[in-house]
């Protein structure tokens, strides 16, 4: 059996069409959603993600305010910019692309973002609300994973989901979202990480695996059961001299092998990545609606 591929690009395109129509409606009411974008430093992957986010904003009609700051930007300068965006009524969402340079305290910066403009869902206020099941901005990659499952008709209620990786951006929040008592969740969740004993023991029990370790080939065919659903969150650049840019992208899953056992699997690229960007657009539109009392 060879798996059916979950086409993240296609699903993302569908949601973006829906959002485009919503933005057009908001514009008729005089509302243009705005996203403040901040990138510190020149990390090539971050640059490409941020550029893709700004392009996506443009295609659906969201205004974006691009701020590319040098790597030696001080924390004080960065906080000043965040505060200016907090006070700017044209800005409904603030994106501070991570990771930040080491001399900047990431937690302090995330804490400075107005929770009502925290479209990444990283502010402790939103993280806490999410955890207790209150309405909150949901973080983009985890929400993208949940939307992929929902729109692919995967039943999560009662399913055993094994999440591999405990980052604040993906592992911890996606595990939490999937155990909530609500539609698209209700799963039994196991969260594995670098100190897990016998990872394969856990992944072999999984109905759904969410791979977010940040390492290629973390999940191999011997580690999964037949018919598993695999969501690969990894985006790893591996050297490849045959490619013009010198590398290719692979996920955290050995795709070629695992797809022979899985029922459904996401590719990399073209799986979770496009959904991350789309959920940022979704949150920004939602934030604009709330700011104008239209939510
Ligand atoms: N603040 N920082 C903040 N918010 C986020 O949501 C992110 N993340 C992660 C890193 N730092 C962040 C992203 O934007 C990861 N991430 C992200 C966004 C987009 C893509 C991958 C990761 C993406 O579009 N991936 C494409 C391939 C892109 C390429 O060719 O390089 C894909 O199809 O997977």
């Amino acid at each position: 059996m060879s798996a059916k591929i979950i086409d993240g690009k296609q699903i993302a395109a569908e949601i973006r069409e829906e959002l485009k129509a919503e933005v057009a409606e908001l514009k008729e009411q005089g509302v243009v959603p705005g996203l403040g974008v901040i990138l510190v430093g020149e990390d090539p992957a971050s640059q490409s993600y941020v550029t893709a986010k700004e392009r996506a904003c443009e295609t659906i009609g969201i205004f974006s305010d691009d701020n590319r700051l040098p790597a030696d930007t001080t924390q004080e300068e960065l906080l000043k910019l965040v505060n200016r965006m907090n006070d700017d009524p044209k800005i409904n969402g603030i994106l501070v692309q991570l990771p930040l340079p080491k001399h900047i305290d990431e937690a302090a910066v995330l804490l400075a973002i107005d929770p009502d403009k925290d479209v990444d869902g990283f502010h402790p206020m939103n993280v806490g609300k999410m955890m207790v099941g209150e309405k909150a901005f949901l973080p983009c990659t985890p929400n993208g994973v949940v939307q992929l499952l929902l729109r692919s008709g995967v039943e999560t209620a009662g399913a055993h989901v094994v999440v591999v990786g405990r980052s604040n951006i993906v592992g911890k929040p996606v595990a939490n979202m999937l155990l909530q008592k609500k539609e698209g969740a209700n799963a039994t969740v196991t969260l594995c990480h670098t100190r897990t004993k016998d990872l394969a023991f856990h992944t072999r029990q999984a109905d759904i695996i969410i791979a977010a370790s940040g390492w290629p080939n973390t999940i191999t065919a011997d580690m999964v059961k037949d018919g598993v659903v695999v969501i690969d969150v990894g985006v790893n650049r591996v050297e490849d001299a045959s490619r013009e840019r010198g590398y290719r992208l692979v996920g955290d899953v050995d795709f070629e092998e695992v797809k022979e056992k899985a029922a459904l699997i996401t590719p990399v690229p073209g799986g979770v990545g496009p959904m991350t960007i789309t959920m940022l657009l979704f949150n920004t539109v939602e934030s604009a609606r709330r700011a104008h009392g239209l939510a």
Side-chain angles (χ1 to χ4, degrees), residues 13 37 64 90 111 119 155 189:
V37 179
S64 71
K90 292 193 300 297
L111 198 60
V119 287
E155 180 63 272
V189 179

Side-chain angles (χ1 to χ4, degrees), residues 48-49 53 95-98 120 122 235 245 249 269-270 273-274 276-277:
S48 94
Y49 302 156
K53 288 175 183 185
L95 161 69
V96 179
Q97 186 71 18
L98 303 179
D120 257 326
F122 293 158
V235 258
R245 49 187 188 178
L249 286 183
T276 295
I277 296 175

Side-chain angles (χ1 to χ4, degrees), residues 4-8 11 14 144-156 229-231 263-266 275:
K4 200 172 156 258
I5 308 295
I6 297 178
D7 188 345
I11 295 173
E14 283 167 23
V145 169
V146 171
Q147 295 306 317
L148 280 180
L149 292 169
L150 266 173
R151 293 194 181 228
S152 307
V154 176
E155 180 63 272
T156 51
V229 174
V230 179
I231 307 291
L264 282 169
I265 189 168
T266 61
M275 291 298 289

Side-chain angles (χ1 to χ4, degrees), residues 38 40 69-84 96 100-112:
I38 305 174
V40 185
L69 308 179
D72 62 359
T73 300
T74 65
Q75 182 165 323
E76 198 190 344
E77 287 168 321
L78 178 55
L79 289 173
K80 228 175 174 171
L81 178 54
V82 168
N83 284 321
R84 212 188 69 212
V96 179
L100 288 167
K102 283 190 185 63
H103 66 277
I104 296 177
D105 178 357
E106 211 160 88
V109 174
L110 297 180
L111 198 60

